[in-house]
Every structure is written in structure tokens, then in C-alpha cells.
Amino acid sequence: MKAGLEEALAYLLDLRLRCRGNPDGTAIVDRCLALLAQAETADAAELQQLEAEIEALRVELADRFGPPPGFARH
């Protein structure tokens, strides 16, 4: 497993523990974990589909919580 992938997995697992008792938060983290697991063995076509799902998740989170800190729109 690559270092970046390991860091992402560790972060998401920690985040999942912190989201206990919050069904919406847990569902989002579980969705991210599923995408991460799929990406590890995905071929080029599957990666393209996963990128579309990640973009949809990004839009959903931005709509729900606003842009991430430090994000500047031009």
C-alpha cells in the first residue's frame, strides 16, 4: 500500500471513530472508505468512474458545509 493511501486510510478510520453516533457523518466516511478500497485495484476505466463519484461527493460536501478552509474562488 502506498504511503499516501495509508495516510488517507488512517485519517478516514480516525474520522469514522469521531463520527460515531452521527449517521450522516458515518455514511459519508463509509462512502469515502469504499471509494478508497475500489481505487486500490481499479483499472483506468474504473478510476475514471471513481473520479466522477469523488467529484459528486466533493460537490455534495461543499453544498452541505461550504468550501474547505483556505479555498478561494476566483
Side-chain angles (χ1 to χ4, degrees), residues 6-58:
E6 289 175 356
E7 289 175 17
L9 181 59
Y11 172 73
L12 288 169
L13 291 174
D14 177 61
L15 192 57
R16 192 171 196 294
L17 288 173
R18 292 189 285 158
C19 287
R20 283 184 299 200
N22 178 341
D24 289 340
T26 301
I28 290 169
V29 173
D30 286 348
R31 188 170 164 194
C32 292
L33 285 166
L35 291 170
L36 189 63
Q38 291 172 344
E40 189 173 16
T41 59
D43 62 22
E46 291 168 325
L47 283 175
Q48 191 173 25
Q49 174 61 34
L50 290 172
E51 287 176 10
E53 290 183 46
I54 291 167
E55 178 60 16
L57 180 59
R58 185 197 64 75

Side-chain angles (χ1 to χ4, degrees), residues 57-72:
L57 180 59
R58 185 197 64 75
V59 168
E60 177 184 332
L61 292 173
D63 287 347
R64 187 181 287 199
F65 302 110
F71 182 78

